């Protein structure tokens, strides 16, 4: 199976997409993922807990140490996602395709690029609501392990009540305080995952770090956020979708410039000091093609 999520390219950059249903804003952050134990498929040392599919996630664990590479494939109604599976603990994976039929499979590397199936399970998903997969932490947006990130999000929005103003406060902080790590961009290895509190402390990172930090902050505030991965022109990139009561989902749009909604791309905006040419590019939806949503 070919790793497609984080290619070794300097062009690796991420945008984001958000959403905000009124119920989520009122109720605050969702309960953190936990293995339910009521629906579990085991085999080959791996466990797939699909007890909480209605809440938009599954959890997978390979409890023992392993020197061999482990992966998880989540095949949804429309898209197949391939993830890393670090051994020793439960890892959360989103059911990003929403309602429908899924198959989740755990694999272990045997030699070269060959993998063997450890265990697999198929099930039907009926979400409690469409926002469920985009509220909780997962492998790409692990705010559950980032108390400083969660606190910073609270501090940034302490005196703000309007949801989109909270989004703006988080966006402005990330764009204004992070710098792009050119060295990491050229040396990043397959399987790299952001550690949000580390990114927050160092104030530097690649696009994946920018987007994951911002998404984690927003979800910790109870704001559903889609981290969307695809292409900006020919470069691998990512972005956001925003939901409002008035408009529903607005793909790739994050802030209002007084005239029209503009696409949010924290990396492009930060590294270019919001130059007119870059902001025009960001604002043109034709420049972006979606592949995956987390």
């Amino acid at each position: 199976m070919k790793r497609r999520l984080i290619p070794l390219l300097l062009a690796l950059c991420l945008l984001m997409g958000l959403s905000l249903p009124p119920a989520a804003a009122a109720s605050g952050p969702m309960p953190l993922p936990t293995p339910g134990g009521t629906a579990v498929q085991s085999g080959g040392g791996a466990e797939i807990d699909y007890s909480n599919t209605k809440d938009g996630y599954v959890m997978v664990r390979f409890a023992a140490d392993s020197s061999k590479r482990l992966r998880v494939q989540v095949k949804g109604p429309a898209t197949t996602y391939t993830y890393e599976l670090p051994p020793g603990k439960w890892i959360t994976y989103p059911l990003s395709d929403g309602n429908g039929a899924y198959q989740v499979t755990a694999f272990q590397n045997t030699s070269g690029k060959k993998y063997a199936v450890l265990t697999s399970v198929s099930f039907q998903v009926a979400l409690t609501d469409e926002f469920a997969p985009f509220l909780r932490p997962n492998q790409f947006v692990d705010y559950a392990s980032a108390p400083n990130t969660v606190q910073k999000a609270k501090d940034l929005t302490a005196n703000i009540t309007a949801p989109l103003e909270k989004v703006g406060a988080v966006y402005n902080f990330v764009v204004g305080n992070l710098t792009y790590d050119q060295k990491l961009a050229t040396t990043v290895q397959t399987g790299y995952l952001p550690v949000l509190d580390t990114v927050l402390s160092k104030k530097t990172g690649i696009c994946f770090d920018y987007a994951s930090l911002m998404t984690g902050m927003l979800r910790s505030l109870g704001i559903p956020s889609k981290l969307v991965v695809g292409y900006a022109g020919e470069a691998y990139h990512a972005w956001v979708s925003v939901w409002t009561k008035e408009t529903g989902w607005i793909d790739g749009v994050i802030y209002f410039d007084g005239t029209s909604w503009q696409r949010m791309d924290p990396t492009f905006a930060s590294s270019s000091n919001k130059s007119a040419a870059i902001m025009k590019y960001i604002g043109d939806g034709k420049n972006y093609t979606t592949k995956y949503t987390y």
Side-chain angles (χ1 to χ4, degrees):
M1 292 181 296
K2 184 179 180 181
R3 176 70 172 178
R4 302 190 303 180
L5 302 181
I6 312 171
L8 303 181
L9 297 172
L10 175 60
L12 168 69
C13 288
L14 295 173
L15 263 182
M16 286 179 34
L18 303 192
S19 64
L20 182 62
S27 61
M30 292 283 99
L32 298 180
T34 182
T38 58
V40 180
Q41 178 71 30
S42 302
E47 302 168 85
I48 302 171
D49 189 310
Y50 57 109
S51 307
N52 300 296
T53 59
K54 69 182 189 307
D55 293 323
Y57 68 91
V58 295
M59 302 187 77
V60 184
R61 177 174 69 169
F62 189 91
D65 290 334
S66 176
S67 60
K68 297 181 179 180
R69 192 171 193 174
L70 302 163
R71 286 180 169 173
V72 169
Q73 184 183 82
V74 179
K75 184 178 182 180
T79 311
T80 298
Y81 295 80
T82 302
Y83 300 94
E84 301 294 326
L85 175 60
K89 60 182 180 180
W90 287 105
I91 306 296
T92 304
Y93 303 100
L95 300 173
S96 302
D97 276 358
N99 297 333
Y102 283 79
Q103 181 182 42
V104 177
T105 306
F107 296 89
Q108 185 176 57
N109 183 249
T110 55
S111 64
K113 296 182 179 181
K114 297 180 180 180
Y115 284 78
V117 173
L118 298 176
T119 189
S120 184
V121 64
S122 297
F123 50 83
Q124 290 286 329
V125 170
L127 297 174
T128 52
D129 66 71
E130 65 173 296
F131 309 105
F134 309 113
L135 284 165
R136 293 172 174 82
N138 60 45
Q139 189 185 53
F140 280 12
V141 188
D142 188 14
Y143 70 83
S145 301
N148 295 337
T149 296
V150 172
Q151 185 60 51
K152 185 64 177 180
K154 290 180 180 179
D155 294 343
L156 288 170
T157 59
N159 299 314
I160 302 174
T161 56
L164 286 179
E165 290 183 16
K166 291 184 178 183
V167 171
V170 171
Y171 171 73
N172 288 332
F173 171 80
V174 173
V175 168
N177 289 274
L178 267 64
T179 57
Y180 193 73
D181 190 332
Q182 298 284 354
K183 182 178 180 180
L184 178 59
T186 58
T187 59
V188 63
Q189 298 296 306
T190 298
Y192 174 82
L193 294 170
V195 178
L196 299 192
D197 277 359
T198 300
V199 177
L200 180 66
S201 175
K202 292 173 61 179
K203 291 185 172 59
T204 185
I206 59 174
C207 304
F208 193 14
D209 297 310
Y210 276 68
S212 183
L213 179 64
M214 194 177 306
T215 309
M217 284 184 164
L218 291 165
R219 289 186 186 181
S220 76
L221 295 169
I223 299 175
S225 313
K226 287 182 180 179
L227 192 159
V228 185
V229 175
Y231 290 91
E234 296 182 357
Y236 208 54
H237 210 60
W239 59 96
V240 182
S241 295
V242 180
W243 189 97
T244 69
K245 184 177 180 180
E246 295 74 21
T247 63
W249 285 100
I250 312 174
D251 292 331
V253 178
I254 199 63
Y255 69 91
F256 192 70
D257 68 358
T259 304
S260 61
W261 285 100
Q262 299 295 315
R263 183 179 300 273
M264 180 187 70
D265 180 337
T267 307
F268 282 176
S270 176
S271 60
S272 68
N273 292 319
K274 298 184 179 179
S275 73
I278 286 294
M279 299 310 285
K280 181 179 180 180
Y281 182 91
I282 291 172
D284 187 349
K286 292 181 293 184
N287 292 317
Y288 297 89
T289 304
T290 299
K291 281 188 70 69
Y292 305 106
T293 304
Y294 305 99

